[in-house]
């Protein structure tokens, strides 16, 4: 059974990540952009998907309705370890490749083509260089990004679904 530790992202920024659980979301042309994101993520390693969920935008009001989001969690086992910092940049670039525009005007209904958030990571465990053991072995614990916890309902459902299928 997996165990979880909560951690601020900045404390593990430079450490090599071997697995990651992501939350993807889109409220504009979701089918198109989720497919593109899944294809691009699959180029980084093995991908497992949760069910996709359609959710109302929690910032919507009666006075200002907003489009629903389609959300999905993804478990990615990286072919090549990357630092958390590299992952953030890779995902930000992917969001841009999906035509993500970061709108800053107040009260503007945002079209979000792709939003990628890192929920949890597994780090590579670098052994002592004097050891005869392999230099990269997986740690057994997942690190939950403290800035993403507690998870939103759809994130929790996606993570549970991936855990139940042997995350």
């Amino acid at each position: 059974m997996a165990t979880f530790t909560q951690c601020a992202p900045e404390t593990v920024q430079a450490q090599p990540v071997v697995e990651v659980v992501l939350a993807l979301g889109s409220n504009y042309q979701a089918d198109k952009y989720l497919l593109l994101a899944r294809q691009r993520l699959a180029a980084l390693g093995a991908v497992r998907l949760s069910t996709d969920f359609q959710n109302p935008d929690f910032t919507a009001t009666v006075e200002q309705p907003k489009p629903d989001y389609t959300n999905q969690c993804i478990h990615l086992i990286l072919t090549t370890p990357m630092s958390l910092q590299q992952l953030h940049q890779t995902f930000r670039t992917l969001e841009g490749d999906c035509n993500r525009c970061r709108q800053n005007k107040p009260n503007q209904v945002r079209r979000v083509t792709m939003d990628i958030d890192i929920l949890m990571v597994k780090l590579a465990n670098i052994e002592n260089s004097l050891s005869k053991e392999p230099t990269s072995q997986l740690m057994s614990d997942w690190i939950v990004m403290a800035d993403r916890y507690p998870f939103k309902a759809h994130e929790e459902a996606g993570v549970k679904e991936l855990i139940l299928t042997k995350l």
Side-chain angles (χ1 to χ4, degrees), residues 125-166:
N125 184 10
I126 306 303
E127 301 292 329
N128 181 329
S129 61
L130 299 175
S131 171
K132 301 286 185 202
E133 297 299 315
T135 58
S136 180
Q137 295 180 349
L138 297 183
M139 295 175 63
S140 60
D141 292 344
W142 283 94
I143 298 173
V144 176
M145 299 294 100
D147 62 341
R148 296 295 309 168
Y149 195 80
F151 296 141
K152 295 174 183 164
H154 61 271
E155 294 168 341
E156 185 174 333
V159 169
K160 282 182 179 178
E161 186 176 325
L162 291 170
I163 288 171
L164 293 175
T165 58
K166 298 184 174 122

CSV table of all heavy atoms in Angstrom, one decimal, residues 125-166:
chain,number,residue,atom,x,y,z
A,125,ASN,N,15.7,7.6,-5.5
A,125,ASN,CA,16.5,7.5,-4.3
A,125,ASN,C,18.0,7.2,-4.7
A,125,ASN,O,18.3,6.2,-5.1
A,125,ASN,CB,16.0,6.4,-3.4
A,125,ASN,CG,16.7,6.3,-2.1
A,125,ASN,OD1,17.5,7.2,-1.7
A,125,ASN,ND2,16.5,5.2,-1.3
A,126,ILE,N,18.8,8.3,-4.6
A,126,ILE,CA,20.2,8.2,-5.0
A,126,ILE,C,21.0,7.6,-3.9
A,126,ILE,O,21.1,8.2,-2.8
A,126,ILE,CB,20.7,9.5,-5.4
A,126,ILE,CG1,19.9,10.2,-6.5
A,126,ILE,CG2,22.2,9.4,-5.9
A,126,ILE,CD1,19.7,9.4,-7.7
A,127,GLU,N,21.5,6.4,-4.1
A,127,GLU,CA,22.3,5.7,-3.1
A,127,GLU,C,23.7,6.3,-2.9
A,127,GLU,O,24.2,7.0,-3.8
A,127,GLU,CB,22.5,4.2,-3.5
A,127,GLU,CG,21.2,3.5,-3.7
A,127,GLU,CD,20.4,3.2,-2.4
A,127,GLU,OE1,21.1,3.1,-1.3
A,127,GLU,OE2,19.2,3.2,-2.5
A,128,ASN,N,24.3,6.1,-1.8
A,128,ASN,CA,25.7,6.5,-1.6
A,128,ASN,C,26.6,6.1,-2.7
A,128,ASN,O,26.5,4.9,-3.1
A,128,ASN,CB,26.1,5.9,-0.2
A,128,ASN,CG,27.5,6.3,0.2
A,128,ASN,OD1,28.4,6.6,-0.7
A,128,ASN,ND2,27.7,6.4,1.5
A,129,SER,N,27.4,7.0,-3.2
A,129,SER,CA,28.2,6.7,-4.4
A,129,SER,C,29.2,5.6,-4.1
A,129,SER,O,29.8,5.0,-5.0
A,129,SER,CB,28.9,7.9,-4.9
A,129,SER,OG,29.7,8.4,-3.8
A,130,LEU,N,29.5,5.3,-2.8
A,130,LEU,CA,30.5,4.2,-2.5
A,130,LEU,C,29.8,2.9,-2.5
A,130,LEU,O,30.5,1.8,-2.4
A,130,LEU,CB,31.1,4.5,-1.1
A,130,LEU,CG,31.9,5.8,-1.0
A,130,LEU,CD1,32.3,6.0,0.4
A,130,LEU,CD2,33.1,5.8,-2.0
A,131,SER,N,28.5,2.9,-2.5
A,131,SER,CA,27.7,1.6,-2.4
A,131,SER,C,27.8,0.8,-3.7
A,131,SER,O,28.0,1.4,-4.8
A,131,SER,CB,26.2,1.9,-2.1
A,131,SER,OG,25.5,0.8,-2.3
A,132,LYS,N,27.8,-0.5,-3.7
A,132,LYS,CA,27.8,-1.3,-4.9
A,132,LYS,C,26.4,-1.5,-5.4
A,132,LYS,O,26.2,-2.1,-6.5
A,132,LYS,CB,28.3,-2.7,-4.5
A,132,LYS,CG,29.7,-2.7,-3.9
A,132,LYS,CD,30.7,-2.4,-5.0
A,132,LYS,CE,32.1,-2.5,-4.4
A,132,LYS,NZ,33.1,-1.8,-5.2
A,133,GLU,N,25.4,-0.9,-4.7
A,133,GLU,CA,24.0,-1.0,-5.2
A,133,GLU,C,23.7,-0.1,-6.4
A,133,GLU,O,24.5,0.8,-6.6
A,133,GLU,CB,23.0,-0.6,-4.1
A,133,GLU,CG,23.1,-1.5,-2.8
A,133,GLU,CD,22.8,-3.0,-3.1
A,133,GLU,OE1,21.7,-3.2,-3.8
A,133,GLU,OE2,23.5,-3.9,-2.7
A,134,PRO,N,22.7,-0.4,-7.2
A,134,PRO,CA,22.3,0.5,-8.3
A,134,PRO,C,22.1,1.9,-7.8
A,134,PRO,O,21.7,2.1,-6.6
A,134,PRO,CB,21.0,-0.1,-8.8
A,134,PRO,CG,21.0,-1.5,-8.4
A,134,PRO,CD,21.8,-1.5,-7.1
A,135,THR,N,22.5,2.9,-8.6
A,135,THR,CA,22.4,4.3,-8.1
A,135,THR,C,21.0,4.9,-8.1
A,135,THR,O,20.8,5.9,-7.5
A,135,THR,CB,23.3,5.2,-9.0
A,135,THR,OG1,22.9,5.1,-10.3
A,135,THR,CG2,24.7,4.8,-8.8
A,136,SER,N,20.1,4.3,-8.8
A,136,SER,CA,18.7,4.9,-8.8
A,136,SER,C,17.7,3.8,-8.5
A,136,SER,O,17.4,2.9,-9.3
A,136,SER,CB,18.4,5.5,-10.1
A,136,SER,OG,17.1,6.0,-10.1
A,137,GLN,N,17.1,3.9,-7.3
A,137,GLN,CA,16.0,3.0,-6.9
A,137,GLN,C,14.9,3.8,-6.4
A,137,GLN,O,15.0,4.9,-5.9
A,137,GLN,CB,16.5,2.1,-5.7
A,137,GLN,CG,17.6,1.1,-6.1
A,137,GLN,CD,18.0,0.3,-4.9
A,137,GLN,OE1,17.6,0.5,-3.8
A,137,GLN,NE2,18.9,-0.7,-5.2
A,138,LEU,N,13.7,3.3,-6.7
A,138,LEU,CA,12.5,4.1,-6.3
A,138,LEU,C,12.2,4.0,-4.8
A,138,LEU,O,12.4,3.0,-4.2
A,138,LEU,CB,11.3,3.5,-7.0
A,138,LEU,CG,11.3,3.5,-8.5
A,138,LEU,CD1,10.0,3.0,-9.1
A,138,LEU,CD2,11.5,4.9,-9.0
A,139,MET,N,11.8,5.2,-4.3
A,139,MET,CA,11.4,5.3,-2.9
A,139,MET,C,9.9,4.7,-2.9
A,139,MET,O,9.3,4.8,-3.9
A,139,MET,CB,11.3,6.7,-2.5
A,139,MET,CG,12.7,7.4,-2.4
A,139,MET,SD,12.6,9.1,-2.0
A,139,MET,CE,11.9,9.1,-0.4
A,140,SER,N,9.5,4.2,-1.8
A,140,SER,CA,8.2,3.7,-1.7
A,140,SER,C,7.1,4.7,-1.5
A,140,SER,O,5.9,4.4,-1.7
A,140,SER,CB,8.1,2.6,-0.6
A,140,SER,OG,8.4,3.2,0.6
A,141,ASP,N,7.4,5.9,-1.0
A,141,ASP,CA,6.4,6.9,-0.7
A,141,ASP,C,6.2,7.9,-1.7
A,141,ASP,O,7.1,8.3,-2.4
A,141,ASP,CB,6.9,7.6,0.6
A,141,ASP,CG,6.9,6.7,1.8
A,141,ASP,OD1,6.3,5.7,1.8
A,141,ASP,OD2,7.5,7.1,2.8
A,142,TRP,N,5.0,8.3,-1.8
A,142,TRP,CA,4.6,9.4,-2.7
A,142,TRP,C,4.7,10.7,-1.9
A,142,TRP,O,4.4,10.8,-0.7
A,142,TRP,CB,3.1,9.3,-3.2
A,142,TRP,CG,3.0,8.3,-4.3
A,142,TRP,CD1,2.7,6.9,-4.1
A,142,TRP,CD2,3.2,8.5,-5.6
A,142,TRP,NE1,2.7,6.4,-5.4
A,142,TRP,CE2,2.9,7.3,-6.3
A,142,TRP,CE3,3.5,9.7,-6.4
A,142,TRP,CZ2,3.0,7.2,-7.7
A,142,TRP,CZ3,3.5,9.5,-7.8
A,142,TRP,CH2,3.3,8.3,-8.4
A,143,ILE,N,5.1,11.8,-2.5
A,143,ILE,CA,5.1,13.1,-1.9
A,143,ILE,C,4.0,13.9,-2.5
A,143,ILE,O,3.9,14.1,-3.7
A,143,ILE,CB,6.5,13.8,-2.2
A,143,ILE,CG1,7.6,13.0,-1.5
A,143,ILE,CG2,6.4,15.3,-1.6
A,143,ILE,CD1,9.0,13.5,-1.8
A,144,VAL,N,3.1,14.4,-1.7
A,144,VAL,CA,1.9,15.2,-2.1
A,144,VAL,C,2.4,16.6,-2.0
A,144,VAL,O,2.9,17.1,-1.0
A,144,VAL,CB,0.7,14.9,-1.1
A,144,VAL,CG1,-0.4,15.9,-1.5
A,144,VAL,CG2,0.3,13.5,-1.2
A,145,MET,N,2.1,17.4,-3.1
A,145,MET,CA,2.5,18.8,-3.1
A,145,MET,C,1.6,19.6,-2.2
A,145,MET,O,0.3,19.6,-2.4
A,145,MET,CB,2.4,19.3,-4.5
A,145,MET,CG,3.3,18.7,-5.6
A,145,MET,SD,5.1,19.0,-5.2
A,145,MET,CE,5.5,17.5,-4.4
A,146,ALA,N,2.1,20.2,-1.2
A,146,ALA,CA,1.4,20.8,-0.1
A,146,ALA,C,0.5,22.0,-0.7
A,146,ALA,O,-0.6,22.2,-0.2
A,146,ALA,CB,2.3,21.4,1.0
A,147,ASP,N,1.0,22.6,-1.8
A,147,ASP,CA,0.2,23.7,-2.4
A,147,ASP,C,-1.0,23.2,-3.1
A,147,ASP,O,-1.9,24.0,-3.5
A,147,ASP,CB,1.0,24.6,-3.2
A,147,ASP,CG,1.7,23.9,-4.4
A,147,ASP,OD1,1.7,22.6,-4.4
A,147,ASP,OD2,2.1,24.5,-5.4
A,148,ARG,N,-1.2,21.9,-3.3
A,148,ARG,CA,-2.3,21.3,-4.0
A,148,ARG,C,-3.2,20.5,-3.1
A,148,ARG,O,-4.2,19.9,-3.5
A,148,ARG,CB,-1.8,20.3,-5.1
A,148,ARG,CG,-1.0,21.0,-6.2
A,148,ARG,CD,-1.8,22.0,-7.0
A,148,ARG,NE,-3.1,21.4,-7.5
A,148,ARG,CZ,-4.1,22.1,-8.0
A,148,ARG,NH1,-4.0,23.4,-8.1
A,148,ARG,NH2,-5.2,21.4,-8.4
A,149,TYR,N,-2.9,20.5,-1.8
A,149,TYR,CA,-3.6,19.7,-0.9
A,149,TYR,C,-4.3,20.5,0.1
A,149,TYR,O,-3.8,21.5,0.6
A,149,TYR,CB,-2.7,18.7,-0.1
A,149,TYR,CG,-3.4,17.6,0.6
A,149,TYR,CD1,-3.9,16.5,-0.1
A,149,TYR,CD2,-3.7,17.7,2.0
A,149,TYR,CE1,-4.6,15.5,0.6
A,149,TYR,CE2,-4.3,16.7,2.6
A,149,TYR,CZ,-4.8,15.6,1.9
A,149,TYR,OH,-5.5,14.6,2.6
A,150,PRO,N,-5.6,20.3,0.5
A,150,PRO,CA,-6.3,19.1,0.1
A,150,PRO,C,-6.7,19.1,-1.3
A,150,PRO,O,-7.0,20.2,-1.9
A,150,PRO,CB,-7.5,19.1,1.1
A,150,PRO,CG,-7.7,20.6,1.5
A,150,PRO,CD,-6.3,21.2,1.4
A,151,PHE,N,-6.9,18.0,-1.9
A,151,PHE,CA,-7.3,17.8,-3.3
A,151,PHE,C,-8.7,18.3,-3.5
A,151,PHE,O,-9.5,18.1,-2.6
A,151,PHE,CB,-7.2,16.4,-3.8
A,151,PHE,CG,-5.8,15.8,-3.8
A,151,PHE,CD1,-5.5,14.5,-3.4
A,151,PHE,CD2,-4.7,16.6,-4.2
A,151,PHE,CE1,-4.2,14.0,-3.4
A,151,PHE,CE2,-3.4,16.1,-4.2
A,151,PHE,CZ,-3.2,14.8,-3.8
A,152,LYS,N,-9.0,18.8,-4.7
A,152,LYS,CA,-10.4,19.1,-5.1
A,152,LYS,C,-11.1,17.7,-5.2
A,152,LYS,O,-10.4,16.7,-5.4
A,152,LYS,CB,-10.4,19.8,-6.4
A,152,LYS,CG,-9.8,21.2,-6.2
A,152,LYS,CD,-9.8,21.9,-7.6
A,152,LYS,CE,-9.1,23.3,-7.4
A,152,LYS,NZ,-8.7,23.8,-8.7
A,153,ALA,N,-12.4,17.7,-5.2
A,153,ALA,CA,-13.2,16.4,-5.2
A,153,ALA,C,-12.8,15.6,-6.5
A,153,ALA,O,-12.6,14.4,-6.3
A,153,ALA,CB,-14.7,16.7,-5.2
A,154,HIS,N,-12.7,16.2,-7.6
A,154,HIS,CA,-12.4,15.4,-8.8
A,154,HIS,C,-10.9,14.9,-8.8
A,154,HIS,O,-10.6,13.8,-9.3
A,154,HIS,CB,-12.6,16.2,-10.1
A,154,HIS,CG,-11.8,17.5,-10.2
A,154,HIS,ND1,-12.3,18.7,-9.7
A,154,HIS,CD2,-10.6,17.7,-10.8
A,154,HIS,CE1,-11.4,19.6,-10.0
A,154,HIS,NE2,-10.4,19.1,-10.6
A,155,GLU,N,-10.0,15.7,-8.2
A,155,GLU,CA,-8.6,15.2,-8.0
A,155,GLU,C,-8.6,14.0,-7.1
A,155,GLU,O,-7.9,13.0,-7.4
A,155,GLU,CB,-7.7,16.3,-7.5
A,155,GLU,CG,-7.6,17.5,-8.5
A,155,GLU,CD,-6.9,18.7,-7.9
A,155,GLU,OE1,-6.9,18.9,-6.7
A,155,GLU,OE2,-6.5,19.6,-8.7
A,156,GLU,N,-9.3,14.1,-6.0
A,156,GLU,CA,-9.3,13.0,-5.0
A,156,GLU,C,-9.9,11.7,-5.7
A,156,GLU,O,-9.3,10.7,-5.5
A,156,GLU,CB,-10.1,13.4,-3.8
A,156,GLU,CG,-10.1,12.3,-2.7
A,156,GLU,CD,-10.8,12.8,-1.4
A,156,GLU,OE1,-10.8,14.0,-1.1
A,156,GLU,OE2,-11.2,11.9,-0.7
A,157,ALA,N,-10.9,11.9,-6.4
A,157,ALA,CA,-11.5,10.7,-7.1
A,157,ALA,C,-10.6,10.1,-8.1
A,157,ALA,O,-10.4,8.9,-8.2
A,157,ALA,CB,-12.8,11.2,-7.8
A,158,GLY,N,-9.9,11.0,-8.9
A,158,GLY,CA,-8.9,10.5,-9.9
A,158,GLY,C,-7.7,9.8,-9.2
A,158,GLY,O,-7.3,8.7,-9.7
A,159,VAL,N,-7.2,10.4,-8.1
A,159,VAL,CA,-6.1,9.7,-7.4
A,159,VAL,C,-6.5,8.4,-6.8
A,159,VAL,O,-5.8,7.4,-7.0
A,159,VAL,CB,-5.5,10.7,-6.3
A,159,VAL,CG1,-4.6,10.0,-5.4
A,159,VAL,CG2,-4.8,11.9,-7.0
A,160,LYS,N,-7.7,8.4,-6.2
A,160,LYS,CA,-8.2,7.1,-5.7
A,160,LYS,C,-8.3,6.0,-6.7
A,160,LYS,O,-8.0,4.9,-6.5
A,160,LYS,CB,-9.5,7.3,-4.9
A,160,LYS,CG,-9.4,7.9,-3.6
A,160,LYS,CD,-10.7,8.1,-2.9
A,160,LYS,CE,-10.6,8.7,-1.5
A,160,LYS,NZ,-11.8,8.8,-0.8
A,161,GLU,N,-8.8,6.4,-7.9
A,161,GLU,CA,-9.0,5.5,-9.0
A,161,GLU,C,-7.6,4.9,-9.4
A,161,GLU,O,-7.5,3.8,-9.7
A,161,GLU,CB,-9.7,6.2,-10.2
A,161,GLU,CG,-10.0,5.3,-11.3
A,161,GLU,CD,-10.8,6.0,-12.4
A,161,GLU,OE1,-11.6,7.0,-12.1
A,161,GLU,OE2,-10.5,5.7,-13.6
A,162,LEU,N,-6.6,5.8,-9.5
A,162,LEU,CA,-5.3,5.3,-9.9
A,162,LEU,C,-4.7,4.5,-8.8
A,162,LEU,O,-4.0,3.5,-9.2
A,162,LEU,CB,-4.4,6.5,-10.3
A,162,LEU,CG,-4.8,7.3,-11.5
A,162,LEU,CD1,-4.0,8.6,-11.6
A,162,LEU,CD2,-4.6,6.4,-12.8
A,163,ILE,N,-4.9,4.8,-7.6
A,163,ILE,CA,-4.4,4.0,-6.5
A,163,ILE,C,-5.0,2.6,-6.5
A,163,ILE,O,-4.3,1.6,-6.3
A,163,ILE,CB,-4.6,4.7,-5.1
A,163,ILE,CG1,-3.6,5.9,-5.0
A,163,ILE,CG2,-4.3,3.8,-4.0
A,163,ILE,CD1,-3.9,6.8,-3.8
A,164,LEU,N,-6.3,2.6,-6.7
A,164,LEU,CA,-7.0,1.3,-6.7
A,164,LEU,C,-6.6,0.4,-7.9
A,164,LEU,O,-6.7,-0.8,-7.8
A,164,LEU,CB,-8.5,1.5,-6.7
A,164,LEU,CG,-9.1,2.1,-5.5
A,164,LEU,CD1,-10.6,2.4,-5.7
A,164,LEU,CD2,-8.9,1.2,-4.3
A,165,THR,N,-6.0,1.0,-8.9
A,165,THR,CA,-5.5,0.2,-10.0
A,165,THR,C,-4.0,0.1,-9.9
A,165,THR,O,-3.3,0.1,-10.9
A,165,THR,CB,-5.9,0.9,-11.4
A,165,THR,OG1,-5.4,2.2,-11.4
A,165,THR,CG2,-7.4,0.8,-11.6
A,166,LYS,N,-3.5,0.1,-8.6
A,166,LYS,CA,-2.1,-0.2,-8.3
A,166,LYS,C,-1.1,0.9,-8.7
A,166,LYS,O,-0.2,0.7,-9.4
A,166,LYS,CB,-1.7,-1.5,-8.8
A,166,LYS,CG,-2.5,-2.6,-8.2
A,166,LYS,CD,-2.0,-4.0,-8.7
A,166,LYS,CE,-2.7,-5.0,-7.9
A,166,LYS,NZ,-3.4,-5.9,-8.3
